[in-house]
Amino acid sequence: MREVAVAGSDGAGSGGAADVRSALQRMRRRGGLPVAFGGLFSGARQFRISELTGTTTNSLRGLAITPGNGLGGKVLTMSRPISVADYPTSRAISHEYDAAVGAEGLRSMLAVPVVVRGQVRGVLYGALRQPLVLGDRALSPAVEAARELERALEHELAQELAARDEAQRLLAEARKRRLRGQPQWAPPAEETDPAVWEEVREAHGELRALAHRVPDPQLRAEILTACGRLARASSGRGRERKHPNGVELSPREVDVLACVASGATNSAAAERLGLRPETVKSYLRSSMRKLGAHTRLHAVVEARRAGLLP
């Protein structure tokens, strides 16, 4: 039979998905389990099986597991490892997922919760195609793999919280700088202290670069939205988002212009944004064309007039 290796991203960013795949591979290697699969939560009520290794079909791919249902759902509810000697006939679990499990030909199965900061974040499964009792030889490596995954997720969570704190700090500093350099009636940026606005612009560029290192898409969107508000308020254009000619720039085009505005070269902008220098050049050319600018500096000036940069 042909083995199918499936990788997905439901419930985890690229880092989380890679961590899950590594944990499943360790389970197979250390515990002698031919099949392993699992996933992390994608919402408050369910998680999806997004990573599979050793399978021969796609029957389990994307399967949504809800608390209390099946082996994984019982693990979610009880927050402890559980195994069954013969999944199709077991009376210890409910059988909402028998069709998917049967299509893969799985019989003996174990499931281990992944717990981070007291909350179950997902489940790892290991399985055989024979009805056998799974003892410590299989269960202990599965628990160990889950603990290693928990530590990796804890590290990612700590990084995400640090990024959130840094973003909030930068936003607070930008607000303070703006209030120091501009009275409540908010005159145009060019009428205020240039040194103050250079600090604001620097913070704006740091925030935009930071946003793309944040794994949480909702937080990333919030940071970019705050950057947009800061840019529009700085330029005195209120809620207006578009260039006078009705042209809008993509988020990455604004990122590149924010770097250029700080004096960064294409290579420096590429390193800051995690892009290739050729990609930076492409975004810069595109933004210049949209803004009707003939030089890098002219593009920055037009972007500021449009309220896209502070």
Side-chain angles (χ1 to χ4, degrees):
M1 292 186 293
R2 182 174 62 89
E3 180 176 306
V4 178
V6 180
S9 59
D10 292 300
S14 58
D19 292 333
V20 173
R21 287 194 295 274
S22 296
L24 295 175
Q25 290 166 0
R26 288 193 294 270
M27 284 178 59
R28 292 182 68 191
R29 183 173 64 252
R30 299 172 184 174
L33 296 170
V35 179
F37 51 96
L40 302 177
F41 265 90
S42 57
R45 296 296 303 166
Q46 66 182 23
F47 79 94
R48 291 185 181 274
I49 295 174
S50 58
E51 308 297 326
L52 298 88
T53 177
T55 54
T56 57
T57 74
N58 287 325
S59 65
L60 297 170
R61 182 180 186 180
L63 193 65
I65 308 299
T66 54
N69 293 336
L71 179 63
K74 188 170 183 178
V75 166
L76 289 177
T77 301
M78 302 185 70
S79 191
R80 65 175 178 82
I82 300 175
S83 65
V84 293
D86 191 10
Y87 189 101
T89 63
S90 175
R91 295 183 179 181
I93 60 173
S94 60
H95 291 272
E96 290 82 0
Y97 311 112
D98 280 6
V101 173
E104 184 58 39
L106 303 180
R107 301 293 294 275
S108 182
M109 191 182 302
L110 62 81
V112 181
V114 177
V115 183
V116 179
R117 298 193 178 187
Q119 294 186 338
V120 178
R121 288 282 307 278
V123 177
L124 302 181
Y125 299 80
L128 300 170
R129 292 188 170 87
Q130 301 83 30
L132 300 173
V133 175
L134 292 173
D136 289 342
R137 183 172 178 273
L139 187 58
S140 294
V143 172
E144 182 180 355
R147 298 297 88 82
E148 292 172 354
L149 175 57
E150 290 167 359
R151 288 191 288 272
L153 294 175
E154 174 69 28
H155 179 66
E156 290 179 9
L157 180 59
Q159 289 184 317
E160 181 177 323
L161 292 176
R164 183 190 297 267
D165 291 342
E166 178 67 6
Q168 291 174 344
R169 183 188 68 80
L170 288 170
L171 282 172
E173 287 185 2
R175 293 191 190 101
K176 290 178 181 178
R177 291 164 179 164
R178 180 173 180 272
L179 290 175
R180 288 201 304 268
Q182 184 174 357
Q184 291 299 313
W185 49 271
E190 58 267 22
E191 296 179 14
T192 62
D193 184 354
V196 172
W197 281 112
E198 284 307 311
E199 293 185 25
V200 173
R201 288 161 180 165
E202 182 178 348
H204 173 268
E206 291 176 0
L207 275 171
R208 292 200 67 94
L210 175 66
H212 294 283
R213 300 199 303 270
V214 174
D216 181 352
Q218 181 176 352
L219 175 58
R220 183 165 57 249
E222 290 175 0
I223 294 174
L224 291 175
T225 298
C227 287
R229 291 175 59 191
L230 177 62
R232 294 192 301 277
S234 301
S235 64
R237 294 181 67 85
R239 293 181 176 273
E240 187 175 352
R241 299 180 62 90
K242 296 184 179 181
H243 185 264
N245 294 331
V247 177
E248 290 190 39
L249 301 185
S250 72
R252 272 311 199 185
E253 289 170 341
V254 177
D255 292 339
V256 169
L257 284 179
C259 291
V260 171
S262 69
T265 63
N266 289 349
S267 296
E271 183 177 354
R272 184 184 303 178
L273 299 173
L275 301 172
R276 296 183 302 173
E278 296 78 9
T279 305
V280 169
K281 291 180 182 178
S282 176
Y283 282 128
L284 185 56
R285 285 195 298 266
S286 176
S287 60
M288 289 173 61
R289 184 181 67 253
K290 291 179 180 179
L291 292 167
H294 303 292
T295 66
R296 295 157 58 97
L297 178 59
H298 187 194
V300 170
V301 171
E302 290 299 320
R304 286 174 177 165
R305 286 183 55 209
L308 297 170
L309 293 177

